[in-house]
Structure formats: C-alpha cells, structure tokens
Amino acid sequence: MKTILIGTSNFGSPVSDYFKELGKEFIENEYRIIFIFDGLVKKLPANTNQQLYFTWPSKRPTKIKDFVFLIKIIKKYQPILCLSNFSSTNVISIVSFLFKVKYRINYIHTTSKAIENDSQNILRTRLLRYRKIIVLKLNNYFFTNSEGTKRDAISTYFLNKTHTYVFPLLLKDNDSSYIPLINRKFNLLIVGGLTPTKGHKQLFYQLSNCLEKYPNLKLQVIGSGILKQNLINLTKELKIDNNIEFIGNLPNHEVQSYFANAIISISSSLDEAYGLVNIEALRAGTPLVCTKTAGSLDILKEGFNGEYFDHKNEHSLCESISKVIENWEQYSENSLRTFKNYYSMDSKIQQHKNKIIELL
C-alpha cells in the first residue's frame, strides 16, 4: 500500500478540511494517508489501516524532537509523498529530502508582500526569506492557491516554473438554504485578522464617504488582531462608529450565517494570496467588492460576481457597491455559479486528486 504524509492543522478549518477530503479521495484509490497535526492536538481521530493520525511533539514543529519524531514515522511507513503546509514546511521538507522520499510537495498559501505588510521586523522577515529559499529547494513540486501566488512564489523563491501548480482550496457545498435579498440585512461584511495587510483603515475612510449615499448601511467586522483598538478609535474619529460593528473572532461554522445574511462581502486587502473568505461569500450567493490582489484576480469577475475598488480613489468603494446593489440578483446568481463551477469540494476534489496522481 502506497503511503502519503500530509502536515496540516487539525480538522475544522477550511484549509485542513480540504486536505481531509483530499485524503479520503486517495484512500478510495487504495492509498494510506498519514496526517500530522500542528498545535499539540489532544484528541486525535481514531486510526484505521488506511488513515493514521499524529500530532507533533511541539506546538510548532521546529525543535530537534520534532525532527526525530518525523524520522521515525518516515522510516516506519516509507511514504512516497510528503506534503507540507505552514509551520510544518521546514521539518517535513528537510527530513523527507534527507530520507529520500521520492515526491516532496510544499503548498504555499501566502505571498511575500503580505508577509512583509504584517511584519513588525522587516529585516528579520527578509532574512527568513533567504532561509525559506533554501528549504523550498528541497521539494520537487510546489502548489499555490492562485495564479498570483504562483507568480510571486516563482519570482521570490526562484522556484521551478514547470514544477509549480495552482491548486485552489475548495469548500463543501452550503448546508443551509439560500437567502434572497428581501430577507437579508443591509450589511456589508469583512472577515479577516485586524492587521495592516487587510486594509481595514483604508476601507473605513472610503466607507465614511459611502454613508453619505447609504446612511443606513452597516459594516460588520469579523476578526481580531493588533489593530483593533486603533480601528475602533478611527471609527469614532470619522463618526461612523454607529455604522460599524466589531464582532471579534467566531468559529468557522458560525461565520457562514453572516455571509448568507450580508448583501456584499468586502475584501480590502493590500495583498492577498487567495482570499478564502471570498469563496465562502460566493458559496452563500453573496457578491464581492474587492481590491485587486493576487488572489482576488482569480476569483472576482468584474461585472459578473462582483466589482473591484481602489484605495487610491476615495469614491471607488461607493461606486462599486452601487453597481452591485442596483443589479444584486444577477451578481448573486453569478456568485453561486462561480462557486459551483470552480470551488465546490463536491465537484472538484476528485480532479485535484487525479492531478496529484499524474505527478507520482
């Protein structure tokens, strides 16, 4: 039985659930799947002959004991493929290379610009980039979540262009009923960490202009981060605090009801590798208004499922919102169509599995 090892976070997030479903597809093809979870998971799923679950000895797998742990697993199960993500990138890339695992794939989720935008120590971030260039070279294939991330990864880390592929993350189909416009709240929604790269500050300035035309419009802000108090102060300074609701962090399964009840989902990022929240919005039939980033260029089709806006044009947010509101039903229908055609787990996961098998 051929074995595939995947390093990811515990199931329950969109990213880890994508790999969970991918694993199921491989199991149907008589592969064995080993999952190694980040974060010292206390309660692991039950092991079977074809599915094995482990968690790293450290919360972040960067210590000697994590390397020893992985060496033992690789020597025992002899995987033909190791796929790494996020904090497991270094340990899996290094150990799988040293122990001659035939296929080594790293999934790159974030652009270099987004990392720098949120960095509090640019020099350290750039030094770590050089280390990452070395580590990534130990892999023989690379997956990215968008064409923009692919271009950034190739130019930043000097990857082999012919060995780098776009594998957009997929989501399960919506398990709740579609909500028509008449039953939705007159709310905009933005979901993401309250960090510089997400562009909340720039969004709030433009929203203050938009409220002159739509005084009853509300913006719900889901997420938390280092800028929260600064952003709260800014809403008061701009006198828009009655139109903005800071909700904080929510479990992923609760966020979907907010997407389903909003009229528009906003992405105001300065840079975004993919924008999984945009896919969640499309799944609910909620049109998008986004800045142009690496990820949104793959997802948003202007005049079809949403509109772009520009931080440098103080009226562009309002103009884009107006376009969507005036023809909301059409934008919403096209949003659902985009999700079904490109990002549905139910219809696309088998295709992803087949693409990987072609590489093996």
Side-chain angles (χ1 to χ4, degrees), residues 179-235:
I179 299 177
L181 179 62
I182 193 171
N183 294 329
R184 296 195 181 210
K185 300 173 183 177
F186 199 51
N187 289 344
L188 309 174
L189 179 68
I190 182 168
V191 180
L194 307 185
T195 59
T197 197
K198 296 298 183 181
H200 292 84
K201 179 179 178 181
Q202 294 87 340
L203 174 64
F204 289 2
Y205 277 106
Q206 289 216 26
L207 181 66
S208 65
N209 295 328
C210 197
L211 291 175
E212 295 177 13
K213 182 174 183 179
Y214 300 107
N216 296 323
L217 192 63
K218 304 281 186 181
L219 173 66
Q220 294 180 307
V221 180
I222 294 179
S224 63
I226 58 174
L227 295 184
K228 182 174 181 179
Q229 191 56 54
N230 289 342
L231 292 172
I232 290 173
N233 294 341
L234 180 60
T235 65

